[in-house]
Amino acid sequence: MYHYVFLAAAVVLLAVVTYNAKNRGRRRIDGKLPPSPPSLPFLGHLHLMSPLLHRSLHDLHLRYGTDGGLLLLQLGRRRTLVVSTSSAAADLYRRHDLAFASRPHVAAAHKLSYGSRNISFAPLGDAWRRNRKAASAHVLSPRRVASFATVRAAEAAALVADVRGRAAAAKWRGLLYGYTNAVVTRAATGAAGTTAEKLKQLLGNATSLVAGVQADDLLPDVAARVVRWVTGLEKKFDDTIVEWEKFLSPIMADHMAKKRKEGDEEENFMDVLLRLREEEEKEEEGNTNGFELSDARVKSLIIDLISAATETTSVTLEWAMAELVANPSVMAKLQEEITRSANGKPATAITETEVAAMDYLHAVVKETLRLHPAAPILVPHQSTTAAIVQGYEIPSKTSLFINAWAIGRDPAAWDSPEEFRPERFLPGGEAAAVDFRGSDYQLVPFGAGRRICPGINFAVPVLEMALVGLIHGFDWELPAGMAAADVDLSEAPGLTTPLRVPLRLVPKCKT
Ligand code: HEM
C-alpha cells in the first residue's frame, strides 16, 4: 500500500512540470484533432475512467465522440485515439493499420518480457516481424495446432472427469482455468501437473504487476523510474524475472538435451523455437542482423504465448457457459446439435473433425466473443507516424484503443445487439458471413490487421472441445432458487474481463 502514497506524492510534485511540458507539446499540434471531453490538468481524462475502461470509453464516445466513431483522450501523459464503431474500425484497419501497428512503451511489460523481446509488447520493427513470423508460420501453424489434438482431447476428458466428481456448485472458474492452463503449458513446454501449477502462480504474479494505471502512464520516463524504484516495484519486476528464470531455465536445458526433431509427436513450442534457432544459425553463419533467438528471446516468447493464451481462453469459456445457462433455448439447441453429431458416443469420444462440423457451436462461440471479448479494448496500439483519419490529424506517438466491446454492440452493425442470439451467424441470419478472423470489422475480439492475434487457430478448438465435453456430458442447473434471468452477467475489471460473480452451476451427469 505504501508505494501508492509515494506515487501520490511524486504525482503532486511533478504535476506542474508535466502539465507545462504537456501544454508546450500541445501547442505544437496545429491540425484539427478529434473531439475530447473537458480535461483536468495533469490527469487529462484519467479521472473519467472507471475500472471497466471499455464501458467508460463507450459512455464518453456516446457523449463526445464523432459520428464517425472517433474520440481523442489524454490519459495521463498518453494521447489516445479511441475507436468505438465498426465503420471507424474498418477505416483504421484498411487505411492506417501500418501507422498504428506499434505498442506504447510500458515499463512493467517491457521488463517482464526481457526487454520487449516477445511479440505482444514489441514495438513495430524487424524483431517483432521475425518473432511474429516464427509464431504464425511455425509455432502456431495450422499443422502444429492440429498436432496438439491429443493434448486437447486428453485435457477436455480430464475436465469432464473433474466435473463428474463434483456435485455442488463448485469452483468452475478454477476448473476452466486449470483446463486452459494445462492445454497451453503442455503445448508450450510439454509441462504438466505441478509444473503447470507453478506456471499459474507465475502468471498471476506477472499479471498483478502489469494491471492498472502505471507510473509511466502519468510521469515522464525518469520520474516514473524513480517512483518505481522508491516504491519497490522495480525490485518486484526483477524478482519476478528471477522466478521465471528459475522455472524456465531447467525446462529449456532439458529441451536442448532432448533435441526433438521436426515432426516428432511430442514437439512443443519450445522445441520448435530451439529448432528454428539452430536452422538460423546454420543459414546465417553468425550474421543474425541483430536478431537471434537468444535464450532470453525464446523464454520471452514462451512466457508471451502462455500468458496470451491461458486466461483469455478460460475467461471466454466461463462467459460461454454463463450465456448458455442464461439462455436455456440456446443451451437446448446446442445440446441437440452435439447429441445428434455424437450419435450415441460419450463426450470424450467425439473427435475434432466432428466438432468442426458443428455450426451452432461455432455460432455460440462467435456470439460469446462478440458480447464478451476477453480483451475488450484489445492491446493498446501506438502510431509511429502522423496520420489523417477521417479528416482529423492524429500526431505520431498517439496510443490507439479499439473498443472491440463497443464495436460488438454497435447498433449500426448488429440487430438487437444486446441479445445473445447465435442464430445471427447461421445461414439466413444477418451476420451469416461474419467471422472473427480479421476481415469483418464489426467482430474484432482478436483484433485485425498486422497485430491480429496469431493464436486464433489454437484458441478455437480449445474452447470448442471443452464446451462439447461440458454440454454433452451434463445437464447444467442453477443453484436452488435461481432462475435463468438471475444469472449475473456483469463484469469485473482486469487484464481480461471475467464475470464479476464467478459462475456457480450444478452439473447433473447425463449418463
Ligand atoms: C479466446 C482466446 C483469445 C483471445 C480473445 C485473444 C485476443 C487477442 C487480442 C485482442 C490481441 C491483441 C490484438 C491487437 O493488438 O490488436 C491478441 C494478441 C495476441 N495473442 Fe491472442 N487471444 C486469444 C488467444 C490466444 C492464444 C491461444 C495465443 C497463443 C497460443 C495468443 C497469442 C497472442 C499473441 C502472441 C498476441 C500478440 C500479437 C502481436 O502483438 O502482434 N492469443 N490476442
Side-chain angles (χ1 to χ4, degrees):
M1 183 66 212
Y2 74 101
H3 59 259
Y4 294 113
V5 178
F6 277 110
L7 182 59
V11 162
V12 174
L13 275 173
L14 287 159
V16 177
V17 179
T18 314
Y19 180 58
N20 287 342
K22 191 183 87 178
N23 279 336
R24 268 203 308 279
R26 236 185 208 174
R27 279 194 289 273
R28 284 197 295 270
I29 299 167
D30 303 323
K32 187 176 142 206
L33 293 168
S36 288
S39 66
L40 290 180
F42 183 62
L43 291 176
H45 302 106
L46 262 185
H47 65 295
L48 301 177
M49 298 298 114
S50 73
L52 293 172
L53 204 55
H54 53 286
R55 287 187 181 265
S56 306
L57 295 174
H58 184 53
D59 292 346
L60 289 174
H61 153 70
L62 293 178
R63 223 167 135 199
Y64 300 100
T66 64
D67 290 344
L70 299 180
L71 178 73
L72 192 73
L73 297 178
Q74 187 71 40
L75 299 178
R77 69 185 186 121
R78 301 193 196 278
R79 181 180 42 240
T80 306
L81 179 67
V82 185
V83 164
S84 304
T85 62
S86 63
S87 65
D91 183 52
L92 238 294
Y93 281 124
R94 286 197 187 116
R95 304 180 55 198
H96 308 287
D97 185 49
L98 179 58
F100 285 90
S102 200
R103 297 283 192 217
H105 178 89
V106 178
H110 181 72
K111 198 100 189 226
L112 296 176
S113 58
Y114 291 76
S116 303
R117 283 194 171 82
N118 66 1
I119 306 172
S120 300
F121 305 133
L124 184 70
D126 276 351
W128 168 75
R129 275 190 200 95
R130 294 184 66 165
N131 280 346
R132 221 189 128 103
K133 192 169 163 215
S136 315
H138 301 280
V139 177
L140 295 168
S141 67
R143 191 171 63 82
R144 177 96 32 224
V145 169
S147 78
F148 296 122
T150 45
V151 171
R152 286 187 290 271
E155 294 302 337
L159 174 66
V160 169
D162 235 343
V163 173
R164 214 177 282 271
R166 293 162 204 252
K171 299 174 184 162
W172 301 120
R173 180 169 291 179
L175 284 189
L176 299 177
Y177 185 92
Y179 160 73
T180 61
N181 185 244
V183 177
V184 173
T185 51
R186 281 182 67 178
T189 65
T194 50
T195 320
E197 270 305 307
K198 175 73 189 164
L199 257 174
K200 190 169 157 184
Q201 180 203 329
L202 284 169
L203 283 179
N205 292 349
T207 304
S208 67
L209 290 176
V210 291
V213 176
Q214 305 278 324
D216 50 347
D217 290 331
L218 295 167
L219 304 170
D221 291 343
V222 178
R225 201 169 308 142
V226 171
V227 170
R228 285 196 303 273
W229 184 74
V230 173
T231 57
L233 262 184
E234 204 70 30
K235 182 166 176 330
K236 279 194 187 158
F237 295 163
D238 293 338
D239 292 348
T240 307
I241 280 292
V242 170
E243 284 294 306
W244 275 108
E245 276 293 317
K246 273 195 222 153
F247 177 73
L248 282 176
S249 293
I251 294 182
M252 194 161 165
D254 182 53
H255 278 68
M256 281 156 87
K258 283 196 179 125
K259 268 201 177 177
R260 290 191 187 92
K261 293 197 188 63
E262 186 170 9
D264 274 5
E265 221 176 76
E266 290 172 21
E267 198 184 34
N268 51 52
F269 294 174
M270 192 177 267
D271 292 316
V272 178
L273 291 171
L274 292 173
R275 181 167 52 72
L276 287 178
R277 161 155 96 186
E278 229 176 84
E279 287 169 11
E280 281 188 353
E281 275 165 6
K282 274 186 210 148
E283 264 170 36
E284 298 182 351
E285 290 171 355
N287 174 20
T288 56
N289 298 328
F291 174 91
E292 56 173 329
L293 277 164
S294 60
D295 284 7
R297 192 175 295 277
V298 170
K299 286 175 196 162
S300 179
L301 283 169
I302 291 292
I303 297 173
D304 193 17
L305 292 169
I306 294 173
S307 321
T310 308
E311 203 174 296
T312 46
T313 318
S314 69
V315 160
T316 306
L317 264 180
E318 195 183 10
W319 276 114
M321 289 299 288
E323 286 287 7
L324 287 168
V325 288
N327 294 278
S329 64
V330 176
M331 174 71 102
K333 271 193 191 173
L334 182 59
Q335 274 181 328
E336 195 274 320
E337 177 181 67
I338 299 174
T339 308
R340 191 168 14 90
S341 311
N343 203 11
K345 283 191 288 187
T348 46
I350 301 175
T351 65
E352 286 196 353
T353 315
E354 286 158 344
V355 171
M358 296 182 187
D359 290 339
Y360 198 69
L361 173 68
H362 306 326
V364 166
V365 169
K366 279 185 190 169
E367 186 70 337
T368 303
L369 285 161
R370 177 181 74 82
L371 283 174
H372 310 290
I377 53 164
L378 311 185
V379 177
H381 291 216
Q382 184 167 284
S383 63
T384 46
T385 56
I388 304 217
V389 182
Q390 297 181 12
Y392 296 104
E393 278 187 39
I394 312 296
S396 177
K397 290 200 178 156
T398 298
S399 294
L400 170 69
F401 290 169
I402 304 263
N403 194 341
W405 179 90
I407 292 168
R409 289 166 159 73
D410 181 354
W414 302 98
D415 293 347
S416 315
E418 293 294 337
E419 224 175 89
F420 187 81
R421 190 164 48 82
E423 287 73 12
R424 66 177 86 238
F425 292 108
L426 294 180
E430 83 267 18
V434 174
D435 201 0
F436 44 50
R437 286 170 195 275
S439 41
D440 299 305
Y441 302 108
Q442 65 272 53
L443 187 66
V444 287
F446 296 100
R450 286 168 176 76
R451 285 281 182 173
I452 190 172
C453 173
I456 302 177
N457 289 336
F458 188 98
V460 171
V462 175
L463 291 170
E464 294 189 342
M465 283 303 280
L467 284 175
V468 166
L470 294 173
I471 304 304
H472 189 51
F474 309 90
D475 283 319
W476 292 89
E477 291 178 4
L478 288 159
M482 249 181 100
D486 300 329
V487 178
D488 185 344
L489 294 172
S490 58
E491 305 152 321
L495 273 190
T496 55
T497 304
L499 285 144
R500 188 178 63 81
V501 180
L503 191 60
R504 291 177 64 235
L505 297 176
V506 184
K508 296 280 169 195
C509 212
K510 279 195 191 167
T511 48

